[in-house]
């Protein structure tokens, strides 16, 4: 049972729930995702008071995906669920965020501390008096757990959890019992912001690592830079761009690193993913005698089925908590400090030019007519021509995610995908969160989603939340009759890879969109798609727009074919 703090002892008394939400506001959260439940209802009453907006989602899984997309745009997010049934519905999304280093503060409204102490037989429990089981389930997919069971330590636990969430860029789990919501704690702490700074490296150790890096960098004849997801997640893009511009080295990104680098730079060479690389990229990267690999996540889909051919003997890996030079590892040395000193000391390097990339459509794929079906070879370079600076582009795991590799982005584009966790349907929820974050930050950033019909059917209800929140994404549903990525791995014509065909664009009306504030389209030929991309009103994204784009069932991006073949081979190994 929680014991009270005497109000007379407090200089600025504040309720626990208000303290928590003010801290979220402090770190940039404005929209809070989730689903109401009886164990969190009183806490939700505090949101408006501190300037937070409740974003009621259609279910907890979608709320988690939305919080993930929101965090990738704004830096951190929050989601609120209820004990047991609510939080378990969210687990898949939280696991994905943990896997991909996305900072989400997950707040769970729980039964009172008295009920938990007495092991009462309550709804939403397993009926065995164990109130710890769901927190235990979350231990492996969060970087911190804060149980606000005692007002004496609540503020400290809240501050610690939010700091860990930010610094480690992973989800945290906070429980808020019903009888703790209105407990008084010291509000004077709010006058001191949470320290979100990264710990400094030990100077002597950092300097030694810098000297080792520079030794190999100066000796290299044709070094290159390869940027991946953790450069984004651990916020080293300023250092990365300074390194690129001052060194003049050819720079490439891994698939999960799309959007990390300004792709308008003359030194940008494209996507490296082993056999799934852009044209000319694999040869250039694999012939380099030194690869500066920043924030790498060498997963199967991020390497086109483990087809990287870069030796560790010619690699320097920069990570959030260690540096690896060839086979020598230096734990506890963060990449920010090392990169800053390398940039300051590196001087002139040996530079060999890299390949040039463009959004030019191959000559054999350029036919634009009412008789020409839309292929991936035509679509993705054309999308690259249509995109605008600062767009937010979300692609579903599948044809869209692999297709976007063939698109050279304008400056400032944010790319969102879930290459490592790969939960189908993720992108629809993430689109809602990203569009909300874009709306909150102002400006005229477009939010654009490319999702397959099969994936869309898993999380289609979140379209309703987008309408309710008056968001204006451009949604492209790729209609190609089912789970194409699974077809390529196994069962091209198997019924389990088929889906019921919906009238997808009609859902905009079904979910109650105002016809004056939404519009739907259907395109089946390159001419229809070309006309749509050239439509200035469509491109200005004045309101929610929904496009059914039809493509042949067996047509896929080249990189997806190669990755699926590698995945099938790996699955079959004994």
């Amino acid at each position: 049972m929680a014991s009270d703090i005497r109000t007379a002892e407090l200089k600025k008394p504040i309720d626990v729930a208000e303290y928590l939400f003010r801290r979220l506001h402090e770190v940039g959260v404005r929209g809070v995702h989730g689903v109401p439940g009886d164990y969190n209802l009183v806490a939700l009453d505090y949101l408006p008071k501190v300037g937070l907006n409740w974003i009621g989602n259609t279910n907890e899984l979608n709320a988690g995906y939305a919080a993930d997309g929101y965090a990738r745009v704004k830096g951190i997010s929050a989601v609120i669920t209820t004990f047991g049934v609510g939080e378990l519905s969210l687990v898949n999304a939280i696991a994905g965020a943990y896997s991909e280093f996305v900072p989400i503060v997950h707040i769970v409204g729980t039964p009172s501390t008295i009920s938990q102490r007495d092991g009462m037989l309550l709804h939403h429990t397993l009926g065995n008096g164990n109130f710890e089981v769901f927190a235990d389930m979350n231990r492996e997919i969060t970087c911190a757990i804060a149980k606000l069971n005692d007002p004496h330590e609540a503020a400290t636990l809240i501050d610690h959890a939010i700091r860990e969430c930010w610094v480690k860029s992973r989800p945290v789990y906070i429980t808020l019992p019903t009888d703790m919501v209105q407990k008084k704690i010291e509000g004077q702490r709010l006058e001191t912001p949470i320290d979100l700074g990264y710990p400094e490296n030990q100077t002597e150790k950092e300097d030694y690592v810098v000297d080792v890096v520079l030794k190999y960098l100066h000796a290299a004849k044709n070094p290159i830079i390869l940027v991946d997801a953790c450069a984004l997640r651990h916020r080293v893009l300023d250092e990365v761009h300074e390194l690129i511009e001052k060194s003049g080295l050819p720079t490439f990104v891994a698939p999960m690193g799309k959007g990390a680098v300004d792709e308008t730079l003359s030194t940008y060479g494209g996507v490296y993913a082993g056999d799934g690389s852009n044209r000319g990229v694999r040869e250039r990267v694999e012939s380099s005698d030194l690869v500066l690999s920043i924030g790498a996540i060498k997963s199967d889909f991020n390497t086109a089925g483990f087809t990287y051919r870069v030796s560790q003997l010619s690699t320097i890996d920069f990570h959030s908590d260690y540096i690896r030079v060839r086979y020598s590892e230096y734990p506890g040395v963060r990449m920010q400090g090392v990169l800053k000193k390398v940039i300051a000391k590196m001087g002139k390097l040996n530079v060999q030019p890299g390949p040039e990339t463009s959004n030019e459509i191959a000559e054999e794929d350029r036919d634009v007519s009412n008789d020409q079906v839309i292929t991936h070879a035509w679509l993705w370079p054309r999308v690259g021509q249509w995109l605008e600076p600062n767009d937010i582009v979300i692609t579903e795991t599948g044809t869209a995610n692999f297709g976007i590799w063939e698109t050279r982005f304008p400056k400032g584009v944010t790319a969102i995908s879930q290459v490592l966790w790969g939960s189908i349907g993720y992108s629809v929820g993430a689109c809602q969160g990203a569009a909300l974050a874009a709306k909150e930050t102002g400006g005229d950033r477009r939010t654009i989603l490319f999702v397959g019909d099969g994936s869309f059917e898993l999380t289609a209800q979140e379209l309703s939340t987008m309408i309710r929140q008056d968001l204006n994404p451009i949604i492209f549903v790729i209609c190609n009759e089912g789970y194409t990525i699974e077809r390529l791995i196994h069962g091209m014509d198997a019924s389990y890879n088929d889906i019921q065909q919906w009238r997808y664009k009609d859902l905009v009306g079904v979910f109650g969109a105002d016809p004056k504030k939404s519009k739907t389209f259907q395109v089946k030929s390159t001419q229809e798609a070309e006309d749509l991309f050239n439509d200035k009103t469509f491109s200005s994204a004045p309101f929610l727009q929904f496009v059914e784009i039809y493509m042949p069932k067996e047509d896929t991006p080249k990189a997806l074919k190669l990755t699926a073949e590698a995945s099938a081979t790996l699955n079959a190994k004994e």
Side-chain angles (χ1 to χ4, degrees), residues 101-131:
F101 293 92
V102 180
I104 299 175
V105 178
H106 177 199
I107 301 162
V108 183
T110 69
S112 70
T113 56
I114 299 171
S115 298
Q116 294 185 49
R117 181 199 64 189
D118 294 344
M120 295 182 70
L121 192 63
L122 298 178
H123 61 286
H124 300 342
T125 72
L126 299 180
N128 59 4
N130 184 353
F131 288 87

Side-chain angles (χ1 to χ4, degrees), residues 3-73:
S3 58
D4 286 333
I5 299 176
R6 290 176 59 88
T7 304
E9 299 173 1
L10 302 174
K11 297 177 180 177
K12 292 187 177 180
I14 190 172
D15 292 359
V16 169
E18 183 177 346
Y19 183 96
L20 170 59
F21 294 150
R22 287 198 181 279
R23 283 304 201 193
L24 291 178
H25 189 280
E26 175 189 309
V27 296
V29 175
R30 294 297 181 270
V32 177
H33 293 90
V35 176
D38 60 336
Y39 295 130
N40 65 32
L41 295 176
V42 175
L44 297 183
D45 288 338
Y46 286 78
L47 292 174
K49 182 179 181 180
V50 303
L52 297 180
N53 300 312
W54 174 246
I55 312 299
N57 299 91
T58 53
N59 59 59
E60 289 87 359
L61 179 58
N62 284 356
Y65 291 154
D68 185 303
Y70 183 100
R72 295 190 195 217
V73 175

Side-chain angles (χ1 to χ4, degrees), residues 521-546:
F521 306 84
Q522 185 180 83
V523 295
K524 295 187 175 182
S525 69
T526 53
Q527 185 63 62
E528 291 175 340
E530 183 71 19
D531 291 343
L532 189 63
F533 287 133
N534 289 329
D535 184 329
K536 291 183 179 180
T537 301
F538 171 77
S539 296
S540 69
F543 38 61
L544 186 145
Q545 298 176 107
F546 192 104

Side-chain angles (χ1 to χ4, degrees), residues 15-219:
D15 292 359
V16 169
E18 183 177 346
Y19 183 96
L20 170 59
F21 294 150
R22 287 198 181 279
R23 283 304 201 193
L24 291 178
H25 189 280
E26 175 189 309
V27 296
V29 175
R30 294 297 181 270
V32 177
H33 293 90
V35 176
D38 60 336
Y39 295 130
N40 65 32
L41 295 176
V42 175
L44 297 183
D45 288 338
Y46 286 78
L47 292 174
K49 182 179 181 180
V50 303
L52 297 180
N53 300 312
W54 174 246
I55 312 299
N57 299 91
T58 53
N59 59 59
E60 289 87 359
L61 179 58
N62 284 356
Y65 291 154
D68 185 303
Y70 183 100
R72 295 190 195 217
V73 175
K74 290 205 71 177
I76 194 168
S77 67
V79 60
I80 300 178
T81 62
T82 197
F83 183 73
V85 295
E87 60 180 305
L88 292 190
S89 292
L90 182 71
V91 162
N92 176 23
I94 293 296
Y98 184 88
S99 169
E100 302 220 350
F101 293 92
V102 180
I104 299 175
V105 178
H106 177 199
I107 301 162
V108 183
T110 69
S112 70
T113 56
I114 299 171
S115 298
Q116 294 185 49
R117 181 199 64 189
D118 294 344
M120 295 182 70
L121 192 63
L122 298 178
H123 61 286
H124 300 342
T125 72
L126 299 180
N128 59 4
N130 184 353
F131 288 87
E132 301 297 320
V133 61
F134 306 127
D136 291 342
M137 290 179 183
N138 276 276
R139 287 188 186 282
E140 297 300 319
I141 54 172
T142 55
C143 66
I145 288 181
K147 297 179 180 179
L148 308 184
N149 295 332
D150 185 342
H152 292 84
E153 58 184 16
T156 300
L157 291 175
I158 289 167
D159 292 358
H160 174 74
I162 292 175
R163 173 177 162 74
E164 288 294 286
C165 185
W166 180 269
V167 171
K168 294 184 178 177
S169 195
R170 275 182 156 155
V172 294
Y173 177 92
I174 298 176
T175 60
L176 181 58
T178 54
D179 60 337
M180 280 291 295
V181 171
Q182 297 173 310
K183 293 289 187 185
K184 300 295 183 183
I185 59 175
E186 181 57 73
Q188 193 173 48
R189 288 177 62 109
L190 292 171
E191 296 173 7
T192 304
I194 298 173
D195 178 12
L196 300 179
Y198 294 103
E200 297 288 331
N201 292 327
Q202 182 184 341
T203 302
E204 186 178 40
K205 194 173 185 180
E206 180 179 84
D207 288 343
Y208 176 80
V209 173
V210 169
D211 288 342
V212 174
V213 170
L214 289 171
K215 170 188 169 184
Y216 288 104
L217 185 55
H218 288 142

